[in-house]
Amino acid sequence: MSAQPKTKGRITPQDVRALKGAAPVVCLTAYTTPVARLADADCDVVLVGDSLGMVLHGLPSTLGVTMEMMILHGQAVARGLSRACMVVDMPFGSYEEGPQQAFRNAARIMAETGAQAVKLEGGLHMAETVAFLVARGIPVMGHVGLTPQAVNALGGYKLQGKGADAGRVLRDAEALAEAGAFSVVLEKIPAALGTRISERLPVPTIGIGAGVGCDGQVLVIDDLLGLFEDFRPKFVKRYAEFGRDGRAAVAAYAAEVRARIFPAPEHGFADPGA
């Protein structure tokens, strides 16, 4: 088993920050209580990602995710965690207006879900908001590179940080770290840039499509388990095929029902008075 934070209780954002240079940060998403229980023992961070809009609710992007959705799923995940640090995504439109709006919504998320931190997207232009939240007791995980909530402005889910654009992504990450973010997600950028940023930042970088040189990694758990099959990003590795196996299980069940094989005697109840 890989090295993990030496804590007696819940892993905190401060514990995650302390992993910089000590051990890779292991992060997965979760949206439900059973999946949170699966992830808890081996993950340092469990992220209630706004990817739930696409993965669970069938939305075309994350833009339609609401505060109510994030809170509902955050509450479910919290019931399944006893060890991992729980971070909840702030949905599109809940923080971009300014620091005061961000604080109100971040405080609501933390109060109603029990989250230990929130995550928001954006770089240099969000630094003021990050500093405002951190100064008021709300730990923040940053997110730069490909930021899915800005998919329309970016022109799609394209690789970021290519060529001269690398400087922009680096400045974005540095600005968030300077503002007080305890970690920064780097999404879909060249691996060399992921390593460069990781070497520059004093806080852990958590990569998703950003190379092995990051200080940790995150994946959507439904991608990892083969449950989400609408599309498969290049940076995803399948560790199981639950979608394929689930379809086979349903087909076997249907065949047994139609053949009157299920339920068998062992699945029923005898009349004790007979």
Side-chain angles (χ1 to χ4, degrees), residues 222-229 232 236-249:
D222 295 69
D223 286 337
L224 178 153
L225 295 176
L227 281 168
F228 183 72
E229 300 176 306
R232 181 176 175 178
V236 168
K237 179 178 179 179
R238 290 271 174 81
Y239 288 82
E241 293 291 348
F242 284 12
R244 179 193 64 197
D245 295 344
R247 286 192 301 275

Side-chain angles (χ1 to χ4, degrees), residues 31-50:
Y31 318 114
T32 65
T33 304
V35 172
R37 288 174 178 152
L38 285 178
D40 189 45
D42 292 297
C43 290
D44 306 311
V45 177
V46 168
L47 171 66
V48 186
D50 61 356

Side-chain angles (χ1 to χ4, degrees), residues 37-227:
R37 288 174 178 152
L38 285 178
D40 189 45
D42 292 297
C43 290
D44 306 311
V45 177
V46 168
L47 171 66
V48 186
D50 61 356
S51 49
L52 62 85
M54 303 171 74
V55 171
L56 294 188
H57 294 274
L59 296 175
S61 72
T62 62
L63 299 181
V65 174
T66 64
M67 282 283 293
E68 287 68 29
M69 291 165 70
M70 295 309 304
I71 289 170
L72 178 67
H73 288 283
Q75 291 168 339
V77 168
R79 297 183 192 109
L81 297 181
S82 61
R83 176 187 170 280
C85 179
M86 176 174 153
V87 180
V88 176
D89 262 340
M90 298 192 69
F92 177 69
S94 69
Y95 60 92
E96 294 90 342
E97 185 178 326
Q100 289 78 15
Q101 181 208 29
F103 177 77
R104 287 193 302 272
N105 287 320
R108 182 185 170 196
I109 286 173
M110 295 187 71
E112 296 187 29
T113 68
Q116 292 150 289
V118 298
K119 180 172 78 65
L120 53 78
E121 297 181 4
L124 186 61
H125 67 285
M126 292 306 304
E128 179 187 359
T129 294
V130 171
F132 190 90
L133 295 180
V134 172
R136 286 156 180 79
I138 297 180
V140 177
M141 175 182 285
H143 185 157
V144 301
L146 174 61
T147 48
Q149 292 177 6
V151 62
N152 291 326
L154 295 174
Y157 298 97
K158 300 177 181 178
L159 182 71
Q160 302 294 305
K162 296 184 294 183
D165 190 44
R168 174 188 63 84
V169 179
L170 173 59
R171 288 190 296 274
D172 281 343
E174 289 179 328
L176 295 182
E178 291 171 3
F182 70 92
S183 59
V184 179
V185 171
L186 306 179
E187 181 167 357
K188 203 169 183 180
I189 63 174
L193 178 58
T195 298
R196 180 184 171 195
I197 293 173
S198 301
E199 291 172 347
R200 293 280 293 269
L201 261 58
V203 300
T205 59
I206 301 176
I208 178 166
V212 73
C214 296
D215 298 301
Q217 300 293 329
V218 60
L219 282 178
V220 171
I221 198 164
D222 295 69
D223 286 337
L224 178 153
L225 295 176
L227 281 168

